[in-house]
Amino acid sequence: MFKICTYQTQHWRDLYKICLETGDSGADATALYQYPDLLGHFYAVPYALFEPELTFVLEDEDGACGYILATANSQTFAQRMENQWLPPLRVEYPLPDPQDLSRDASMIRTIHKGYQADPEISPLYPAHLHIDLLFRAQKKGQGKLLMQTLFAALREKSVSGVHLGVGSRNENGIAFYQHIGFTQIQTHPWGMVFGLLL
């Protein structure tokens, strides 16, 4: 039995865990990182900190097994990341040697670069989201329910549209986003960006 809960502070560590265990294009990335919190530091926890009302956690009898989280305004989110969240992380994780090509080094460089809101996307699709489900919660209709829950919360805030990025290797994710109505709005070497008007 699954249930969707609004984020509470006790879900803090769950966000880190789920982000890591889905961090390799939907597969478990635990073995790929020396510092297991790096992915969650950038892709999960700051959303819950800044906009907990747009963070929803999926639970079953074994605990948290998925989440969806978003910001209503990507430009504002970028500013808050830069002013409030990233500076202490940059101290904790100094820039690695340029020759270091590890996953950890790549994420640390991302933290130092910061979140960049795309000015071409923001006018139509000001919100952006991340959704991750552990294997036991996948392909059971829960992703669609999480999306519907978030869309309702965004509409309450009069948000016009939402976008997300997905890696080209994440074929299940791409198919899922297309199935629920997202359309591709950008292509990049790493993958693509999908958007949905609300």
Side-chain angles (χ1 to χ4, degrees):
M1 181 70 70
F2 294 99
K3 65 176 180 178
I4 296 173
C5 310
T6 302
Y7 171 80
Q8 303 294 326
T9 54
Q10 65 264 26
H11 293 127
W12 184 265
R13 289 308 312 175
D14 294 323
L15 298 186
Y16 279 112
K17 180 177 184 291
I18 294 167
C19 192
L20 179 63
E21 293 184 5
T22 58
D24 184 21
S25 294
D28 192 348
T30 301
L32 303 178
Y33 288 89
Q34 180 182 351
Y35 301 105
D37 286 349
L38 284 174
L39 288 173
H41 279 331
F42 197 82
Y43 294 114
V45 172
Y47 295 84
L49 175 67
F50 297 147
E51 294 171 87
E53 73 279 7
L54 295 178
T55 302
F56 300 94
V57 178
L58 180 68
E59 295 181 337
D60 63 8
E61 58 273 11
D62 294 321
C65 55
Y67 60 69
I68 191 168
L69 37 82
T71 178
N73 187 299
S74 298
Q75 301 280 359
T76 301
F77 178 80
Q79 295 168 4
R80 297 185 77 177
M81 285 282 277
E82 200 59 38
N83 295 335
Q84 301 176 42
W85 182 251
L86 293 176
L89 290 176
R90 290 168 179 157
V91 175
E92 183 177 356
Y93 302 99
L95 273 171
D97 186 289
Q99 304 304 314
D100 187 345
L101 302 180
S102 67
R103 295 286 188 104
D104 293 270
S106 177
M107 271 310 307
I108 291 169
R109 293 185 188 103
T110 298
I111 286 169
H112 280 262
K113 179 181 178 182
Y115 175 77
Q116 310 290 320
D118 189 331
E120 293 183 4
I121 294 176
S122 295
L124 275 180
Y125 309 96
H128 74 265
L129 69 86
H130 296 282
I131 180 171
D132 290 303
L133 281 76
L134 297 181
F135 180 76
R136 70 178 191 265
Q138 295 175 12
K139 299 184 179 180
K140 297 179 180 178
Q142 298 306 307
K144 183 176 181 179
L145 290 175
L146 282 168
M147 284 284 194
Q148 291 172 342
T149 301
L150 176 64
F151 295 163
L154 289 172
R155 288 187 180 105
E156 287 184 7
K157 290 176 171 286
S158 300
V159 175
S160 60
V162 60
H163 69 276
L164 58 87
V166 58
S168 55
R169 292 192 298 120
N170 190 352
E171 296 179 359
N172 288 337
I174 292 169
F176 169 67
Y177 301 135
Q178 291 173 329
H179 176 71
I180 62 173
F182 280 85
T183 57
Q184 185 175 334
I185 56 177
Q186 286 185 346
T187 303
H188 298 275
W190 52 263
M192 58 208 72
V193 176
F194 285 95
L196 180 73
L197 294 174
L198 296 171

